[in-house]
């Protein structure tokens, strides 16, 4: 009771559940992903993405810093992989990964709702924003939506299923290849830099690029947003070393090197289906011959 004039916060499994509304008797918060164990993440070579495990998380509410009592003991959330919808494929009406305002996007998978699904286009990067995709048709296995762009660049396609949560996407590399944090597959032969004396050795790459911190390179902001081209021509994002990093775990800021630098790490989900949103000119109307002093009006759509 008496929440209206208090400072109210909520957590699930020790992770903040952002409060969107609060009244004298009720609060609403948005549940995040299943919490992971509080442990040091060690970089390792991986062919595929490691999903979050099933998990049980306790719900806690704090009113002016005091933990609220609960009457009926129903204070747990069960995170279940078996209950998680799956995105298998994403295609566009243009047949390409580039999308524009009004592009139709078709998402196929399983576990969607017959109605009420929401599609979001989450821009890559730390707190980079998102665009929407207006759903025009939907079923338990297929969703079609139309892009309504307010952000541009690379975006992950996300499906929010009502009363269930976000769908997962799955990606793995072919046998003998390794998944990087930004979703690129590297073979051993890709892990070659002649001038460094490294030949077909992804394990050595891992040591160089991720030896001292997970999901980042040595000690601070010197390599943030840097790309490195290997002998094969593939680009290795130095923020996303050779291991399968958990979705959105690298989408945070961190203090590295003991110097208090706050840097943006990978900002990529290796399993996200990526579409690139771009603005597009469809027509230009007006005279195409002008006085050398200008002054004519062009209408650009």
């Amino acid at each position: 009771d008496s929440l209206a004039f208090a400072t109210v916060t909520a957590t699930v499994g020790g992770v903040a559940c952002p409060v969107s509304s609060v009244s004298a008797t009720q609060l609403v918060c948005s549940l995040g992903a299943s919490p992971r164990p509080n442990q040091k993440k060690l970089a390792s070579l991986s062919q595929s993405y490691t999903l979050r495990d099933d998990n049980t998380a306790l719900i806690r509410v704090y009113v002016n810093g005091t933990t609220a009592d609960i009457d009926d003991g129903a204070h747990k959330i069960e995170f279940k992989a078996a209950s998680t919808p799956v995105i298998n494929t994403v295609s566009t009406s243009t047949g390409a990964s580039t999308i524009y305002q009004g592009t139709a996007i078709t998402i196929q998978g399983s576990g969607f709702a017959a109605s009420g699904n929401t599609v979001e286009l989450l821009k890559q990067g730390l707190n980079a924003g998102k665009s929407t995709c207006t759903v025009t048709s939907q079923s338990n296995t297929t969703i079609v939506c139309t892009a309504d762009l307010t952000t541009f660049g690379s975006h992950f396609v996300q499906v929010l299923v009502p009363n269930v949560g976000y769908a997962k996407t799955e990606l793995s590399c072919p046998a003998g290849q390794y998944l990087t944090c930004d979703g690129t597959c590297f073979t051993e032969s890709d892990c070659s830099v002649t001038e460094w004396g490294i030949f077909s050795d992804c394990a050595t790459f891992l040591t160089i690029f991720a030896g001292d911190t997970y999901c980042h390179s040595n000690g601070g902001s010197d390599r943030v947003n840097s790309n490195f081209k290997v002998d094969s021509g593939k680009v290795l994002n130095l923020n996303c070393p050779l291991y399968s990093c958990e979705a959105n775990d690298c989408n945070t800021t961190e203090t590295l090197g003991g110097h208090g630098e706050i840097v943006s790490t990978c900002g990529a989900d290796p399993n996200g289906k990526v579409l690139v949103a771009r603005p597009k000119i469809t027509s230009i109307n007006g005279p195409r011959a002008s006085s050398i002093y200008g002054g004519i009006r062009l209408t650009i759509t």
Side-chain angles (χ1 to χ4, degrees):
D1 292 337
S2 303
L3 300 182
F5 303 103
T7 300
V8 182
T9 58
T11 64
V12 177
V15 178
C17 186
V19 176
S20 56
S21 65
V22 62
S23 70
T25 59
Q26 188 177 76
L27 69 83
V28 177
C29 71
S30 299
L31 186 66
S34 169
R36 291 181 63 83
N38 184 18
Q39 60 187 12
K40 183 178 181 181
K41 297 180 176 64
L42 299 177
S44 60
L45 295 172
S46 176
Q47 178 187 341
S48 61
Y49 171 74
T50 303
L51 293 174
R52 295 173 183 260
D53 298 326
D54 287 356
N55 192 18
T56 299
L58 297 179
I59 302 168
R60 292 282 187 260
V61 174
Y62 303 92
V63 182
N64 290 340
T66 300
T67 305
D69 295 334
I70 189 166
D71 294 331
D72 59 6
H75 60 298
K76 296 179 180 180
I77 290 289
E78 299 285 344
F79 293 95
K80 295 289 186 181
S83 302
T84 304
V86 177
I87 297 173
N88 295 127
T89 64
V90 176
S91 59
T92 69
S93 55
T94 63
S97 60
T98 300
I99 59 173
Y100 305 100
Q101 175 70 18
T103 296
I105 300 171
T106 300
I107 304 163
Q108 292 184 312
S110 60
F112 304 148
S115 62
N117 300 290
T118 302
V119 179
E120 301 173 350
L121 304 175
L122 179 66
K123 186 175 180 181
Q124 289 184 6
L126 180 67
N127 299 324
K130 60 186 175 183
S131 292
T132 59
C133 196
T134 304
V135 175
T136 56
S137 66
Q138 55 192 311
S139 70
N140 298 119
T141 58
T142 304
I143 299 171
V144 180
C145 64
T146 302
D148 185 9
L149 302 179
T150 55
T151 54
F152 298 94
S154 296
H155 292 68
F156 297 121
V157 179
Q158 295 188 322
V159 174
L160 179 60
V161 179
N163 298 317
V164 176
Y166 283 103
K168 67 180 180 181
T169 49
E170 295 183 342
L171 174 69
S172 62
C173 296
Q177 298 188 26
Y178 304 113
L179 183 68
T180 70
C181 193
D182 63 359
T184 305
C185 292
F186 269 66
T187 64
E188 288 285 358
S189 61
D190 287 322
C191 296
S192 299
V193 180
T194 300
E195 61 181 310
W196 287 4
I198 300 175
F199 303 99
S200 301
D201 189 351
C202 288
T204 296
F205 260 42
L206 181 72
T207 300
I208 293 173
F209 293 139
D212 65 334
T213 58
Y214 81 94
C215 208
H216 214 279
S217 54
N218 184 29
S221 58
D222 55 329
R223 291 174 177 168
V224 174
N225 296 324
S226 298
N227 292 320
F228 182 83
K229 186 176 287 187
V230 297
D231 288 355
S232 68
K234 280 189 177 181
V235 174
L236 175 66
N237 183 341
L238 297 186
N239 290 347
C240 305
L242 288 163
Y243 79 110
S244 179
C245 103
E246 174 62 29
N248 297 323
D249 279 356
C250 299
N251 227 6
T252 60
T253 57
E254 292 205 358
T255 302
L256 299 175
H259 302 297
E261 292 121 335
I262 304 299
V263 298
S264 177
T265 54
C266 179
D269 175 353
N271 279 356
K273 306 296 184 181
V274 177
L275 297 177
V276 180
R278 293 186 57 83
K280 184 178 183 179
I281 295 173
T282 56
S283 66
I284 301 177
N285 295 315
R288 294 304 179 92
S290 171
S291 156
I292 60 173
Y293 293 104
I296 65 173
R297 289 180 176 273
L298 296 176
T299 300
I300 303 173
T301 303

